[in-house]
Amino acid sequence: MTDTRTGLPRGATSAVAGTDGVDATGVDHAAGAPDAPRASRPTVASDATDATDATATSVDAAGRAALDRPVLPLRHPLRWIAAAVVLVVLLNFVETLFTNESWGWPAVGKWLFSPAILTGLQLTLVATALSAVISFTGGIVVAIARLSHNPVLSGLAWGYVWLFRSVPLILVLVFLYNLGSLYPTIGIGIPFGPQVEVTTANVLGDLAIGVIGLSLSEIAYASEIVRAGVLAVDHGQHEAAQALGLPRRRQFVRVILPQALRSIVPAFVNQVVGLLKASSLLFYVSLLDLFGVVQNLSSTYPTDIIPLLVVATLWYLALTSAVSVVQYYVERWTARGSVRALPPTPFQRVRAAVRRGSGRGSGRPGGPDRPRQTASAERGVASGPASTIDDRTI
């Protein structure tokens, strides 16, 4: 008898099946038996679970060890050595200020707020303020003319900048002071025709001569500062303003100039500081500014020359510091549209430093952010071996 499924004798079929537990068709008849080899798989799964638990335990221990590990800052020995050398030199200089009697600090206190010094200081402030305003306004006008497509305006502006950047300020002041000798009268009218004339000495006083001289020289420098700021504005802003159909004057006043101020302010304030110091040249045109008063008092009181020079130095330092403070807040105001967050003011920095020192800041160990950082790190450890521990989180 043959098997109808395989075509083999039935004994052969049973023999093959009894030998391997697999019939000729390739079907495993022993797979459903309770004692099959698959019974060993639960043992392999339990071993994998034990390995996972052991790994999680080791990661947990490593994370807790990282939490307890102190963070050591990077050391900079050369930086500390250089700072120590500079500090020693500075302390030696400060020592000479108090031990050297030639400085004459009692005389400095006597002259610091004397009426003569304050009068000269007032003249310095007036001349500097007027010259700064006139030079900035004139610098904008000359810069616009320099950027103009009109060759006459552009050429005249270039010639003005070339002339007054080439001539020293002291020569400009001396020329203006002797303007009466060169032009006894000043007139305006038809060229080579009738004119309205006035006497030069009646028009220009000493203060007017000083302010005009300072302004003429500073306009040349201010115009280059303004021109550089305008050129620093992205050309796309010009195209956008033109696409909106704005008039050219409105384009410049409302779109271009506000963006250019961010580049103009630092350079122009630096120019104002130079103008403040250049006002000391007014002494040579018979204007008794701060430096002129000090020079006159030095000739009257020759024993107080050094104290008087110290007084002038202190006042110039105070005025420059005041200008720097104004510059900081003006720069902060002009940066409103170009930064995401305004930089903190010095008062805000001091307040933040005090908070960090009292333990309420986020950077101090043990502060209010430390428990949150620890909890975050512990959650990262508890999430399993796949999570990564970041030292910055810890």
Side-chain angles (χ1 to χ4, degrees):
M1 300 285 299
T2 59
D3 192 345
T4 57
R5 295 175 298 175
T6 61
L8 296 175
R10 291 188 177 183
T13 303
S14 61
V16 173
T19 304
D20 296 329
V22 181
D23 58 9
T25 61
V27 178
D28 188 0
H29 296 287
D35 296 333
R38 292 182 182 180
S40 62
R41 290 183 180 178
T43 304
V44 176
S46 63
D47 294 341
T49 303
D50 295 340
T52 303
D53 294 340
T55 304
T57 303
S58 62
V59 171
D60 190 7
R64 295 187 181 279
L67 290 174
D68 297 334
R69 183 180 61 190
V71 179
L72 300 178
L74 184 62
R75 304 187 182 280
H76 302 278
L78 294 179
R79 183 185 300 177
W80 286 105
I81 293 174
V85 172
V86 172
L87 186 60
V88 169
V89 174
L90 180 61
L91 291 177
N92 285 329
F93 175 72
V94 172
E95 181 187 4
T96 61
L97 294 179
F98 293 97
T99 57
N100 190 353
E101 297 180 354
S102 299
W103 289 104
W105 292 110
V108 170
K110 179 184 70 174
W111 291 112
L112 189 60
F113 296 100
S114 64
I117 294 293
L118 294 180
T119 302
L121 178 64
Q122 180 181 1
L123 180 61
T124 297
L125 290 175
V126 171
T128 302
L130 292 176
S131 301
V133 173
I134 296 173
S135 62
F136 183 70
T137 306
I140 293 176
V141 174
V142 174
I144 293 174
R146 185 89 184 271
L147 295 171
S148 174
H149 297 291
N150 188 324
V152 177
L153 293 178
S154 179
L156 290 177
W158 180 88
Y160 178 88
V161 173
W162 167 77
L163 176 63
F164 283 96
R165 285 202 306 179
S166 303
V167 179
L169 176 59
I170 184 64
L171 288 180
V172 176
L173 292 173
V174 171
F175 265 114
L176 289 176
Y177 188 73
N178 295 282
L179 188 62
S181 302
L182 187 61
Y183 295 101
T185 60
I186 298 177
I188 184 171
I190 300 174
F192 305 101
Q195 295 185 353
V196 178
E197 297 182 350
V198 294
T199 306
T200 306
N202 297 332
V203 175
L204 300 177
D206 292 340
L207 180 60
I209 291 175
V211 170
I212 292 174
L214 292 174
S215 300
L216 288 176
S217 182
E218 292 299 319
I219 284 174
Y221 298 98
S223 65
E224 291 298 287
I225 293 173
V226 174
R227 186 173 68 92
V230 171
L231 293 177
V233 178
D234 188 75
H235 188 66
Q237 300 295 322
H238 297 265
E239 295 177 348
Q242 293 175 3
L244 292 175
L246 299 177
R248 294 183 63 86
R249 181 187 63 83
R250 192 172 180 83
Q251 291 179 24
F252 182 81
V253 174
R254 300 302 299 272
V255 179
I256 306 303
L257 185 59
Q259 298 183 59
L261 283 176
R262 192 161 183 259
S263 302
I264 292 173
V265 168
F268 182 73
V269 173
N270 186 55
Q271 198 66 27
V272 171
V273 172
L275 177 63
L276 176 64
K277 295 182 290 185
S279 64
S280 60
L281 296 176
L282 297 177
F283 169 71
Y284 295 99
V285 291
S286 301
L287 276 176
L288 293 180
D289 65 324
L290 178 60
F291 181 74
V293 171
V294 168
Q295 286 289 92
N296 282 349
L297 292 176
S298 299
S299 60
T300 307
Y301 302 93
T303 57
D304 291 342
I305 294 178
I306 298 299
L308 286 169
L309 293 178
V310 172
V311 167
T313 302
L314 293 177
W315 277 117
Y316 280 120
L317 287 175
L319 295 177
T320 304
S321 301
V323 172
S324 300
V325 171
V326 174
Q327 173 187 359
Y328 174 80
Y329 284 99
V330 172
E331 287 184 6
R332 196 169 185 270
W333 179 75
T334 56
R336 290 178 301 170
S338 57
V339 295
R340 295 182 180 271
L342 293 176
T345 61
F347 176 75
Q348 293 173 345
R349 293 178 183 177
V350 171
R351 185 172 60 183
V354 171
R355 287 183 175 180
R356 287 196 300 268
S358 61
R360 293 182 293 173
S362 60
R364 181 181 175 89
D369 290 343
R370 182 65 177 183
R372 289 196 293 269
Q373 295 173 357
T374 304
S376 176
E378 289 179 351
R379 285 196 299 269
V381 171
S383 63
S387 59
T388 303
I389 301 174
D390 193 353
D391 288 339
R392 292 175 295 179
T393 304
I394 298 173

